[in-house]
Amino acid sequence: QQADIKKNFENAVVSALSDKGYSATPSYNTITADDIANTARIVAKADSLGVDALLVFTLINIESSVINTPQVTANVGIPVQIGFFSVFLGSSIPLGGGSTVEKTVNVKAGLYTDRNSTEPSWSLDLTGSLADGNDALIYNFIRKTVKALFKQKIL
């Protein structure tokens, strides 16, 4: 599943940049694990492909936190006559609320343009919730990144 998420992310980045008139290639088509382990190999691969910049998204961490919301319940009671006493028999039914776990993803987007540096020439910290799913978070990160690149006149 991790490979599918990576592919979806890369395809969405390529699509977003293509929509803005830029030619982009996903790394899963060209970069191997051996390439990643060696900076010189990545530079050589980029040169052979005619790549002038790399846009890299790095997962920093995924944080989990418990969110407590008020629990809503409904009380259901049925009046019952027992002798000369009137009592209610029933129970409490939970309708919603309570504790939920929220996962927050922290990612760094980095644009590498200098082949002699291991540091990005531009970067952006991204934070988002997984509450709406992987695809929603991916598109949110890409939208923010592409918007920032154009707003800051990087692209």
Side-chain angles (χ1 to χ4, degrees):
Q1 179 180 350
Q2 201 70 4
D4 290 337
I5 292 170
K6 181 180 183 286
K7 268 184 160 178
N8 290 343
F9 202 115
E10 290 184 19
N11 287 333
V13 170
V14 168
S15 177
L17 291 173
S18 295
D19 289 348
K20 297 287 188 180
Y22 286 86
S23 176
T25 303
S27 70
Y28 67 83
N29 284 338
T30 55
I31 304 292
T32 65
D34 290 337
D35 294 334
I36 292 172
N38 185 318
T39 304
R41 278 182 127 164
I42 289 180
V43 170
K45 182 79 68 136
D47 286 341
S48 73
L49 295 169
V51 172
D52 57 3
L54 296 173
L55 181 57
V56 178
F57 291 85
T58 305
L59 176 65
I60 304 301
N61 64 19
I62 300 175
E63 299 171 354
S64 295
S65 58
V66 177
I67 307 295
N68 290 314
T69 56
Q71 189 165 356
V72 178
T73 59
N75 295 315
V76 178
I78 302 170
V80 177
Q81 188 72 32
I82 301 176
F84 59 88
F85 291 105
S86 181
V87 295
F88 282 91
L89 299 178
S91 68
S92 179
I93 301 170
L95 298 176
S99 297
T100 57
V101 175
E102 183 174 297
K103 291 188 177 185
T104 303
V105 179
N106 297 299
V107 168
K108 181 178 279 295
L111 184 69
Y112 292 81
T113 56
D114 182 356
R115 284 169 162 60
N116 298 317
S117 176
T118 58
E119 295 297 317
S121 56
W122 175 88
S123 66
L124 178 66
D125 292 324
L126 300 160
T127 300
S129 171
L130 275 172
D132 294 329
N134 290 330
D135 289 340
L137 184 60
I138 287 169
Y139 291 113
N140 181 33
F141 283 168
I142 293 167
R143 182 186 55 77
K144 286 180 181 177
T145 302
V146 172
K147 183 177 179 180
L149 285 166
F150 279 91
K151 185 176 182 179
Q152 297 174 19
K153 297 184 182 352
I154 305 296
L155 294 180

